[in-house]
Amino acid sequence: MDADKIELLPPGTALAWGHAPAPRRGPKPGYSLEQIVAAAIAQADAEGYAALSMPSIAKRLGITANALYRYLSSKEELLVLVAEAAWGPPPGPSSGDWRAAVTAWARALLERSRRHPWLIDLPVRSAPTTPNLLGWLENFLEGMAGTGLGTGDVMGCVVLVDGWVRSTAALLRDVNANAPERVQALSEFLRPHLRERGYPRVAAVMSGETYSEEGIEDADIEFGLGRILDGIEALIVGDATAGGRPSRP
């Protein structure tokens, strides 16, 4: 592709596919793009999404922020490459039915977000354009290939499941960030006040086994995913019963 057309691509797309930028004047670069992305991921792992700034990453590498712009044209370009590397390649294809495939896909995506909790803070400005992220989409589409759903419905399913993963990951991160002793102190404080205020059902939940002071249980996570899969299954059955209906645009 011509250089002029490459400039029209979303930031970071060409770099993610291995298209090297045009050489720039000045000293020979001392770092590879992979080293810079690895440093950015380490920075975010240590201090969170807010630490993904060009000056902080440059400091970690021992160079100036201006020098970092010899490798990358913008922070937006960096974030695209960081997302591509941190989400990584998708899981291998599932040997089960569509439900097993989607479950494996969602669990793998949730595991990556637990490994790098700041990933869910990265802005999503467009559809995926980089190899690994498109690989995740391909993996989902392959898992749903035998359902009989049209392309529009399958794309709706991937948006739904991806949204569940992101919201669940954010909830897990925020809940688990609370120290256990603080959670316990809050529960002990609230219980008598809830009864006095006339909230007996909430008080009973907080006093029972269903309310864990250690955070959200795995069963709570699986419950939400299971209900989403039930809804997709109803859509599949409805399509089959109706003899197939036109896919949504």
Side-chain angles (χ1 to χ4, degrees):
M1 181 181 286
D2 296 339
D4 292 343
K5 291 185 178 179
I6 286 180
E7 290 182 359
L8 297 176
L9 298 176
T13 300
L15 289 175
W17 287 96
H19 289 264
R24 300 176 183 176
R25 295 180 180 180
K28 182 179 180 180
Y31 292 96
S32 67
L33 199 57
E34 290 75 15
Q35 288 173 315
I36 292 172
V37 171
I41 291 174
Q43 183 76 12
D45 284 343
E47 301 181 32
Y49 171 71
L52 275 175
S53 68
M54 300 294 266
S56 63
I57 296 166
K59 183 177 180 180
R60 175 177 282 268
L61 292 168
I63 60 177
T64 66
N66 286 338
L68 193 56
Y69 283 101
R70 289 183 47 79
Y71 303 86
L72 297 159
S73 61
S74 65
K75 179 181 176 179
E76 188 176 5
E77 193 170 67
L78 171 69
L79 294 181
V80 169
L81 297 178
V82 164
E84 169 72 2
W87 283 118
S94 174
S95 58
D97 60 7
W98 73 265
R99 191 165 181 132
V102 173
T103 298
W105 189 90
R107 286 175 177 168
L109 204 62
L110 187 59
E111 187 277 328
R112 303 290 170 87
S113 66
R114 281 172 151 174
R115 186 187 306 173
H116 304 295
W118 47 269
L119 270 173
I120 54 177
D121 294 323
L122 290 176
V124 180
R125 296 190 175 95
S126 66
T129 62
T130 55
N132 284 338
L133 298 189
L134 287 169
W136 283 88
L137 178 57
E138 176 70 19
N139 185 283
F140 189 97
L141 296 176
E142 181 179 355
M144 296 289 290
T147 62
L149 293 179
T151 301
D153 286 332
V154 174
M155 291 303 295
C157 291
V158 73
V159 170
L160 179 63
V161 177
D162 180 79
W164 173 85
V165 170
R166 292 176 183 275
S167 62
T168 300
L171 183 61
L172 287 170
R173 181 188 63 185
D174 295 344
V175 169
N176 294 335
N178 293 316
E181 58 271 17
R182 178 173 292 181
V183 175
Q184 183 176 1
L186 178 61
S187 298
E188 292 175 357
F189 172 81
L190 286 177
R191 285 167 190 162
H193 288 286
L194 290 171
R195 294 190 179 94
E196 292 172 4
R197 188 57 66 94
Y199 300 157
R201 292 176 177 80
V202 177
V205 169
M206 295 185 68
S207 300
E209 295 180 356
T210 56
Y211 188 87
S212 172
E213 293 178 352
E214 297 179 355
I216 299 175
E217 302 289 344
D218 287 343
D220 299 324
I221 299 171
E222 295 296 332
F223 180 86
L225 178 59
R227 301 299 70 75
I228 289 175
L229 297 179
D230 289 345
I232 295 175
E233 186 166 358
L235 179 65
I236 294 170
V237 172
D239 259 22
T241 302
R245 58 185 173 84
S247 176
R248 295 183 295 106

